[in-house]
Amino acid sequence: MNRNGELHLRPALDPRLSWRPAERRDLDAWAGLIARTAAVEQPVWFERQADLEQILESKNNPATANTIIGFDPEGVARAYARITKNRDGDKANGSGCVDPEWQGSGIGTSLLGWMEQRTRDRFAEDARPAGTVGDAGTALAAGDARGTGDVPRPRLRLHTEQQHQHQAALFAGSGYGVVRYYNEMHRPLNQVVPESSLDPGLELVTFGPELHEPVRLAHNAAFRDHWGSEPRDQEGWGFVVNDPQARPDLSGVVLDRSTGTVAGYQLATHDVEAALTRGFREGYTELLGVRREYRGRGIAQVLLADAMRRFAAAGMDVASLDVDSENPTGALALYIKMGYVAVNRSMAWDKELQPAAP
């Protein structure tokens, strides 16, 4: 949006649809579009209405500037896209979908163009000095400026699952390249859980509100050496711990008894609706991390074994997680040792963009 609230529409979006940023009044139509698309494309996970409500609450990525929905003449939502970006981040992340009935008609290409332009604009906005006004008409907070005025080259990252070849063709044809592969891994819970124990001085506790901030700090410390990872701020972490599918009762934290320091953590989710479509109940490890200074002490193995026991006690059939195929901590080898097997693969695609015109 510019200062007058006018929507950036360059390059032009498909004129067959009426386009506007997502609003609360659009929640039903927006969620319906995603559900119709998911019913055909069968992704492992997709956004539901509660997730979209979180998107609308974001202050770091306000929906008025960073989402777009296209409606047909009857008022049915047929396409949407959005981007997210951390102010100091080196990339924006894009996502969206096109109604299956409208796929193959060029709308996906125009949405990609919108995401690329919005990414350019976000990089330019985030490089402005503190206190200036961005395109969304909001003053930038003091202390957030880079101070140099330099604008890093914009980069947009998109994700696909291996089976979605139509998306892969669109991305490849638009100049994107695969920069990382991820494996979805499953571990049946009817198998014996490997034995594991913590060193003296460490204790395993259930995740709760009092640990929200300590685990956030531990997560940022644990993932600072991971490819593509960026620190989670208060808002981003709030979306994690308040996720509609979050299951703190299935999540564990290892503490150092002497200092209270969070040494490691396993944060779990459970998608009730996915069990109906996938045919099994899944306990999913959303985040697993161990601080650098505590690695090599079997903490991750203890956390995974604890997760399996919690999942099984809650009636789950499978423990699951996703792992970067080039994870530098040896996570993939650990998961295989713990009985996880790769069942699906996804890809991250990047494109470096020309900066926005001044």
Side-chain angles (χ1 to χ4, degrees):
M1 304 283 281
N2 64 18
R3 296 185 186 190
N4 298 319
E6 297 168 343
L7 191 65
H8 287 293
L9 294 179
R10 51 184 213 284
L13 288 162
D14 195 295
R16 292 173 294 170
L17 301 177
S18 299
W19 300 92
R20 67 168 186 261
E23 302 175 8
R24 187 158 293 277
R25 60 174 169 155
D26 300 321
L27 280 170
D28 287 344
W30 189 7
L33 162 65
I34 296 172
R36 288 196 306 276
T37 306
V40 173
E41 298 187 347
Q42 295 293 304
V44 172
W45 177 88
F46 60 91
E47 295 161 323
R48 297 184 175 86
Q49 186 157 322
D51 303 298
L52 305 182
E53 290 173 355
Q54 280 196 331
I55 291 170
L56 292 177
E57 293 170 2
S58 176
K59 293 182 174 59
N60 293 339
N61 293 282
T64 52
N66 299 296
T67 65
I68 193 77
I69 304 181
F71 296 86
D72 69 15
E74 285 71 45
V76 178
R78 296 298 186 179
Y80 109 90
R82 70 182 181 102
I83 70 154
T84 60
K85 181 183 177 295
N86 291 332
R87 178 162 176 74
D88 294 321
D90 65 354
K91 64 183 178 301
N93 288 285
S95 61
C97 69
V98 177
D99 189 305
E101 294 183 7
W102 288 66
Q103 290 179 8
S105 65
I107 292 178
T109 300
S110 67
L111 282 180
L112 202 54
W114 178 88
M115 286 191 283
E116 291 178 1
Q117 184 58 50
R118 184 63 196 129
T119 296
R120 295 185 186 98
D121 291 345
R122 278 296 299 273
F123 272 80
E125 293 164 17
D126 288 353
R128 290 173 180 159
T132 61
V133 177
D135 280 350
T138 56
L140 304 181
D144 284 344
R146 296 172 185 268
T148 65
D150 294 333
V151 181
R153 186 171 293 276
R155 186 156 52 95
L156 179 59
R157 177 164 298 164
L158 307 167
H159 292 84
T160 62
E161 293 180 26
Q162 188 172 17
Q163 71 269 27
H164 296 150
Q165 293 300 310
H166 61 299
Q167 293 178 358
L170 172 61
F171 297 166
S174 302
Y176 290 79
V178 175
V179 293
R180 211 71 165 186
Y181 290 92
Y182 300 87
N183 293 318
E184 179 193 1
M185 306 189 77
H186 287 184
R187 203 273 193 189
L189 292 171
N190 58 1
Q191 300 174 2
V192 176
V193 176
E195 291 296 325
S196 58
S197 60
L198 290 171
D199 291 348
L202 299 176
E203 66 174 327
L204 177 64
V205 300
T206 299
F207 183 57
E210 73 284 357
L211 289 171
H212 285 183
E213 182 62 7
V215 173
R216 181 182 78 87
L217 297 176
H219 174 76
N220 287 344
F223 276 80
R224 71 177 183 267
D225 57 351
H226 283 233
W227 180 89
S229 179
E230 295 177 358
R232 304 287 183 109
D233 62 10
Q234 297 283 354
E235 179 183 279
W237 194 249
F239 291 159
V240 171
V241 298
N242 297 314
D243 186 284
Q245 297 172 0
R247 290 291 300 267
D249 59 313
L250 305 181
S251 305
V253 179
V254 171
L255 301 175
D256 186 325
R257 292 179 187 271
S258 64
T259 63
T261 301
V262 172
Y265 55 90
Q266 183 275 139
L267 303 187
T269 61
H270 173 57
D271 187 340
V272 175
E273 294 183 40
L276 301 177
T277 57
R278 303 193 79 184
F280 54 85
R281 293 161 296 179
E282 175 184 17
Y284 181 71
T285 292
E286 187 77 32
L287 293 174
L288 176 72
V290 177
R291 285 183 184 268
R292 294 168 67 99
E293 61 268 32
Y294 289 93
R295 291 175 187 168
R297 299 171 64 177
I299 292 173
Q301 183 169 332
V302 169
L303 286 165
L304 288 173
D306 176 67
M308 292 176 191
R309 296 186 188 96
R310 292 174 187 261
F311 295 161
M316 309 296 176
D317 303 307
V318 169
S320 68
L321 47 76
D322 282 90
V323 61
D324 179 344
S325 62
E326 299 178 41
N327 186 295
T329 65
L332 181 58
L334 170 63
Y335 300 151
I336 293 172
K337 175 184 175 182
M338 296 290 288
Y340 288 85
V341 176
V343 298
N344 189 29
R345 188 167 73 163
S346 61
M347 293 82 79
W349 300 71
D350 274 16
K351 181 179 179 181
E352 194 173 84
L353 307 171
Q354 291 296 322

